[in-house]
């Protein structure tokens, strides 16, 4: 492919980084937590960004201290948590030392499974709502992985930071703006890293797209489109899949973009959000809530407890996001409609476009970039993914294929452990995590204002102007296991 005479991000990383401060964005004026049991709200989103307390410092570019072995404690052992516990246990130099679930039998079954796989038996906690707090008192946990229902993520993530642990939290890390600010501040005060467990950011197509963008293949990137379009109706009405129907019940609480991070995060990474650009405003729209009620009418017995529920979340919630550099991002969430799965994953610029979940090739992607292409016809993504394949997939692809979600889970877990064991800076930091989750409460705020734009907090407090590395890492080795 012809070399494009454009300044790539990789060459810029070798030069002088931008300096100086920019006025911080909007956010909660306090670090106090909102109640975690209700729906997300816009409360506190319009006040100025809170100042740091004396001695509190940024966590940008702060590496992990190097660990010989990463010892993991898991909170939440439902479908996601139990599977990821097995995943942590097979990563070189990682051991699961404790597991916790409010249902004690789950902790026992998970521990039994690890032993059956030849792993050490972890300590077991459960049987009460505060069992996780008892687990966090242990001194043999370096990393806490949280996979509980959304309403508990903030409380448990903050508790883990205060206990001196690094934290990986499933989506979202919190559902309120002031909670997001509080997690940023707590990470800065405790000097512990908190990371969103955004496995889709480690997807093979997503990482190849990121490399292509940073090498200038799309020219000047102007817009992107990502989302989470996943027909979950059968699972939402299952009596066993989501314990106590926790996920379905969120659809009775609020109209919000609950889970668009899977699509938003890879686009934000490709655009260097928090690394030279930032999201500035968001405006949301929502369709009528038809899908869940229609599915219930056709497939759910009238004796089912769901018939006492009223669904208010729109089937499709769309967020239009603008950035400081004038780019636009469209992020979508729809789990209530009959449709094939898609994270959309599309990026466009002055010299071309990539679209995922649209092609006929094995990769599922299609591409059109100048000067390689002409004639207004899409091309398969295969050759481009091979050329721009991220080093993580080149080195771990065969191993990752045995992991969940097409290998993304394995890549995320392997890379997290490697970062900790090698003493490197996290690919995804607390500022990325907060920014990617901010559309949850901000979509509520915009919809309450009839879709008018609302400000996106600058969780970096001005440091977004500095170009720095992230998911576009250079190849490094996993330290040998002694």
């Amino acid at each position: 492919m012809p070399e494009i005479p454009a300044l790539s991000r990789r060459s810029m990383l070798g030069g002088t980084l931008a300096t100086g401060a920019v006025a911080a964005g909007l956010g909660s004026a306090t670090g106090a937590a909102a109640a975690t049991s209700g729906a997300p709200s816009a409360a506190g989103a319009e006040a100025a960004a809170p100042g740091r307390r004396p001695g509190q410092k940024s966590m940008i570019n702060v590496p992990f201290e190097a660990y010989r072995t990463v010892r993991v404690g898991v909170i939440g052992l439902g479908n996601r948590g139990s599977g990821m516990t097995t995943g942590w246990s097979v990563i070189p130099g990682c051991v699961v030392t404790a597991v916790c679930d409010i249902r004690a039998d789950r902790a026992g079954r998970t521990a039994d499974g690890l032993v059956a796989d030849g792993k050490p038996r972890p300590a077991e906690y459960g049987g009460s709502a505060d069992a996780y707090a008892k687990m966090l008192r242990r001194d043999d946990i370096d990393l806490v992985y949280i996979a509980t229902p959304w309403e508990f993520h903030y409380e448990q993530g903050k508790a883990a930071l205060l206990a001196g642990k690094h934290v990986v939290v499933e989506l979202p890390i919190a559902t309120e703006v002031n909670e997001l600010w509080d997690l940023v501040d707590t990470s800065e005060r405790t000097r512990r890293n908190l990371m969103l467990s955004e496995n889709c950011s480690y997807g093979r197509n997503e990482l190849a797209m990121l490399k292509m963008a940073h090498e200038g293949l799309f020219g000047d990137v102007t817009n992107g489109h990502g989302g989470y379009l996943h027909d979950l109706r059968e699972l939402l009405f299952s009596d066993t899949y989501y314990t106590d129907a926790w996920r379905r019940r969120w659809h009775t609480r609020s109209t919000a973009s609950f889970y668009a991070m899977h699509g938003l995060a890879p686009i934000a990474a490709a655009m260097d959000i928090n690394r030279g650009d930032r999201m500035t405003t968001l405006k949301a729209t929502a369709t009528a809530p038809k899908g869940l009620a229609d599915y219930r009418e056709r497939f759910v017995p009238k004796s089912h407890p769901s018939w006492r529920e009223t669904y208010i979340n729109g089937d499709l919630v769309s967020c239009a996001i603008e950035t400081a550099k004038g780019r636009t991002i469209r992020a979508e969430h729809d789990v209530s409609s009959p449709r094939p799965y898609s994270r959309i994953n599309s990026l466009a610029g002055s010299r071309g476009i990539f679209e995922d979940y649209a092609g006929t090739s094995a990769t599922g992607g299609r591409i059109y970039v100048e000067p390689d292409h002409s004639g207004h016809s899409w091309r398969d993504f295969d050759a481009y993914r091979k050329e721009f394949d991220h080093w993580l997939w080149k080195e771990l692809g065969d191993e990752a294929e045995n992991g969940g979600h097409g290998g993304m889970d394995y890549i995320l877990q392997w890379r997290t452990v490697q970062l900790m064991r090698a003493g490197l800076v996290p690919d995804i930091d607390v500022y990325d995590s907060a920014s990617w989750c901010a559309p949850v409460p901000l979509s509520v705020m915009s919809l309450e204002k009839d879709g008018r734009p609302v400000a996106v907090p600058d969780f970096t407090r001005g440091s977004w102007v500095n170009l720095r590395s992230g998911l576009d890492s250079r190849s490094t080795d996993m330290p040998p296991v002694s």
Side-chain angles (χ1 to χ4, degrees), residues 190-210:
T190 61
R191 315 309 295 164
R192 302 287 92 180
N193 284 304
L194 181 144
M195 300 155 284
L196 181 68
S197 184
E198 184 36 79
N199 58 346
C200 296
S201 291
Y202 288 97
R204 196 164 204 158
N205 281 7
E206 283 85 348
L207 285 175
M209 178 188 73
L210 177 144

Side-chain angles (χ1 to χ4, degrees), residues 255-271:
T255 305
S257 180
F258 289 132
Y259 206 74
M261 295 77 80
H262 277 333
L264 171 61
I267 299 301
M271 288 185 176

Side-chain angles (χ1 to χ4, degrees), residues 52 58 60 181 274 431 458-465 468:
R52 290 188 171 102
S58 172
I60 287 177
W181 271 115
N274 293 336
Y431 309 102
D458 173 19
F459 295 103
T460 74
R461 294 178 168 100
S463 293
W464 64 269
V465 297
R468 57 194 174 92

Side-chain angles (χ1 to χ4, degrees), residues 217-443:
L217 201 73
F218 301 113
D220 291 323
V221 172
T222 58
N223 67 94
H225 185 190
Y228 186 70
L229 309 177
H230 190 183
D231 181 1
L232 292 179
R233 294 171 301 163
E234 182 177 0
L235 295 179
L236 288 172
F237 285 98
S238 168
D239 290 330
T240 58
Y241 194 82
Y242 293 114
T243 305
D244 297 329
W246 68 264
R247 190 161 180 170
R248 187 181 73 238
R249 289 176 180 173
W250 276 92
H251 289 260
T252 71
R253 297 172 178 171
S254 183
T255 305
S257 180
F258 289 132
Y259 206 74
M261 295 77 80
H262 277 333
L264 171 61
I267 299 301
M271 288 185 176
D272 285 323
I273 297 300
N274 293 336
R275 292 166 168 77
D277 198 0
R278 81 173 189 91
M279 299 185 290
T280 55
T281 63
L282 176 151
K283 55 185 177 182
T285 59
T287 67
K290 300 293 186 180
L292 295 186
D294 177 74
Y295 184 91
R296 181 179 61 185
E297 178 67 35
R298 290 185 291 147
F299 300 111
V300 180
K302 293 294 193 293
S303 58
H304 195 266
S306 65
W307 279 93
R308 296 192 292 271
E309 300 169 348
T310 300
Y311 306 113
I312 63 174
N313 193 41
D315 291 346
L316 175 65
V317 180
S318 301
C319 295
I321 302 168
E322 296 185 354
T323 80
K325 287 191 171 182
R327 297 160 170 158
T328 61
I329 305 172
R330 188 164 83 250
E332 298 187 349
H333 176 268
D334 185 350
V335 299
S336 306
S337 305
R339 57 167 305 133
Y341 179 91
S342 174
R343 297 193 299 274
I344 305 169
N345 195 34
S346 177
L347 194 71
S350 59
R351 296 184 180 177
I353 183 172
F354 166 70
E355 287 188 351
D356 211 346
Y357 298 92
T360 58
S361 72
T363 66
R366 62 186 185 180
I367 190 169
Y368 186 89
V369 292
E370 296 175 341
D372 294 6
H373 305 145
S374 61
H376 308 282
S377 298
W378 290 102
R379 307 303 201 277
D380 284 344
F381 185 52
D382 305 52
Y384 289 86
R385 191 174 80 173
K386 183 176 181 180
E387 179 180 355
F388 291 94
D389 209 11
H390 195 279
W391 71 268
L392 284 167
W393 278 97
K394 288 181 179 178
E395 294 190 14
L396 301 171
D398 291 341
E399 300 171 51
E401 288 180 357
N402 296 320
H405 293 96
M408 296 185 301
D409 293 344
Y410 184 88
I411 298 288
L412 179 148
Q413 292 177 300
W414 188 97
R415 177 61 172 165
T416 301
V417 172
Q418 186 221 18
L419 290 166
M420 294 182 67
R421 296 189 64 225
L424 301 175
V425 175
D427 296 340
I428 299 169
D429 61 26
V430 70
Y431 309 102
D432 302 319
S433 304
S435 298
W436 298 345
C437 295
V440 180
L442 295 180
S443 61

Side-chain angles (χ1 to χ4, degrees), residues 137-148:
R137 299 187 190 120
R138 299 182 65 91
D139 61 5
D140 61 351
I141 296 175
D142 307 306
L143 176 69
V144 174
Y145 168 71
I146 298 171
T148 51

